[in-house]
Amino acid sequence: MKMTIKQLRAFLAVAHTLSFAQASERLAISQPALSLAISGLEEALGGPLFMRTTRHVSLTPEGEIFFPMARRLLADWENAEEAMHLRFTMQLGKVSIAAMPSFAGNLLPAVLKAFRQRYPGVNIAVHDVINETVLEMVQEGRVEMGVAFEPELADALHFTPLGSDRFVAVVPADSPLAEKPQLSWRELLHLDFITLQRPSAVRLLLEQSLAQAGRRLDVAYESHQLVTVGKMVASGLGVSAVLAFCIQQMRELGAVCVPLVSPQIERRVGILRLKQHQLSHAAAALAQTMSDECRWPDS
């Protein structure tokens, strides 16, 4: 027989008041029910906790030893209960996510703002890492979920699409190409091309897609940071191609984005989590906020 929280509360009530009558009033239970709870606790622990006479109640030596233990146990129980209640009601919590930089720097801030307004007590830790690292962090359980391109082979991962994004050309603001309604890859690739360094998923996707279309990506400049790519283009060093949800970022850096065709390259972006892992309430709420708040630019 194991002791119960009801028995623990009964013991503490009697230990504080040294009166079964007062303890039963404090707990709002009958004296027989209180006596039964104390007897059950004593049986579970293996001996008496109180010395009882018709006039007097006192703790046994073992009861004296158990008294501070019982207070700590009840405090821990109530703290755990309160902490879990706060998490399930979204008043407290923490979520760790990984997101590829192009998403983290462009669409995620609006999502986090909306989430914060709804759940101000939940802390969000964002790891903005390349696409491949997002997959690794989710697979290894280092984050609850990630945002990345739809993986081709990932049996352990569940993918929830947020949208499908396509590549747009990035050209200097003073370039004649900036005035065109759209550009072909042939027009873009005869100029100095600036892109992200390997193993960027964006770089690999461009190379693979262009190879399938019979074209080759010759790179003049490369960088690990999308901001650097945008600034290089804006300064007139060359041209580039980015996902459409980076349009506003490229504009802020001084470059112009133009729709790209022939071929039109696009890829689905979404939320990744382990198939066998259920998201916490906070993470599930964040995933829902992403679905509700992500606004895909018109490229």
Side-chain angles (χ1 to χ4, degrees):
M1 182 177 177
K2 301 290 186 180
M3 67 178 177
T4 66
I5 192 65
K6 180 179 178 180
Q7 292 169 344
L8 200 60
R9 287 194 170 106
F11 167 79
L12 286 170
V14 177
H16 279 296
T17 63
L18 295 178
S19 166
F20 273 72
Q22 292 180 38
S24 63
E25 288 179 10
R26 178 180 289 191
L27 297 173
I29 62 175
S30 66
Q31 286 195 46
L34 177 62
S35 295
L36 187 62
I38 295 298
S39 296
L41 178 60
E42 291 175 330
E43 183 180 344
L45 296 179
L49 299 170
F50 295 102
M51 294 181 287
R52 286 165 266 190
T53 68
T54 55
R55 293 185 175 184
H56 185 68
V57 176
S58 61
L59 287 163
T60 64
E62 289 76 16
E64 294 279 5
I65 293 172
F66 184 61
F67 190 20
M69 295 180 185
R71 282 187 296 191
R72 288 196 298 270
L73 284 171
L74 184 61
D76 288 345
W77 176 280
E78 291 176 342
N79 288 340
E81 191 174 46
E82 175 67 11
M84 294 311 299
H85 173 74
L86 291 174
R87 280 166 171 76
F88 278 122
T89 56
M90 301 293 291
Q91 298 176 63
L92 186 67
K94 182 176 181 178
V95 182
S96 292
I97 68 169
M100 55 185 187
S102 53
F103 183 90
N106 291 282
L107 296 187
L108 189 57
V111 172
L112 296 181
K113 182 178 180 180
F115 185 83
R116 188 70 173 181
Q117 290 171 343
R118 297 172 194 173
Y119 311 108
V122 179
N123 175 263
I124 308 295
V126 178
H127 303 266
D128 51 338
V129 292
I130 62 173
N131 191 84
E132 290 72 19
T133 305
V134 173
L135 270 64
E136 290 175 7
M137 293 184 76
V138 175
Q139 288 173 323
E140 294 171 2
R142 291 155 58 193
V143 293
E144 276 201 80
M145 62 183 187
V147 181
F149 289 128
E150 181 176 14
E152 295 180 2
L153 295 172
D155 293 338
L157 296 177
H158 180 273
F159 177 79
T160 302
L162 290 171
S164 184
D165 209 357
R166 64 186 59 179
F167 280 88
V168 295
V170 188
V171 300
D174 58 359
S175 168
L177 299 179
E179 303 299 324
K180 293 197 171 188
Q182 65 180 32
L183 291 173
S184 69
W185 278 97
R186 181 181 60 80
E187 293 175 283
L188 199 67
L189 292 178
H190 81 274
L191 301 170
D192 286 340
F193 198 85
I194 307 167
T195 189
L196 295 171
Q197 289 179 309
R198 295 190 183 95
S200 162
V202 170
R203 168 75 172 269
L204 296 175
L205 177 58
L206 286 178
E207 289 178 335
Q208 293 169 2
S209 300
L210 289 173
Q212 291 172 2
R215 301 189 181 281
R216 179 179 173 180
L217 184 66
D218 291 319
V219 177
Y221 301 96
E222 54 189 331
S223 170
H224 278 304
Q225 301 297 327
L226 193 61
V227 170
T228 305
V229 171
K231 287 184 176 179
M232 285 181 175
V233 173
S235 69
L237 283 174
V239 297
S240 187
V242 299
L243 290 166
F245 56 60
C246 300
I247 289 176
Q248 183 59 36
Q249 182 182 19
M250 294 298 109
R251 287 173 179 166
E252 291 171 357
L253 294 171
V256 173
C257 292
V258 182
L260 261 176
V261 295
S262 303
Q264 182 173 285
I265 303 174
E266 59 183 354
R267 186 81 174 268
R268 291 208 300 178
V269 176
I271 299 169
L272 292 166
R273 64 170 176 83
L274 289 172
K275 284 183 178 178
Q276 303 303 319
H277 175 72
Q278 180 175 332
L279 293 178
S280 66
H281 269 48
L286 179 58
Q288 185 60 54
T289 305
M290 283 187 193
S291 297
D292 295 341
E293 299 294 333
C294 279
R295 300 290 180 263
W296 300 91
D298 182 1
S299 62

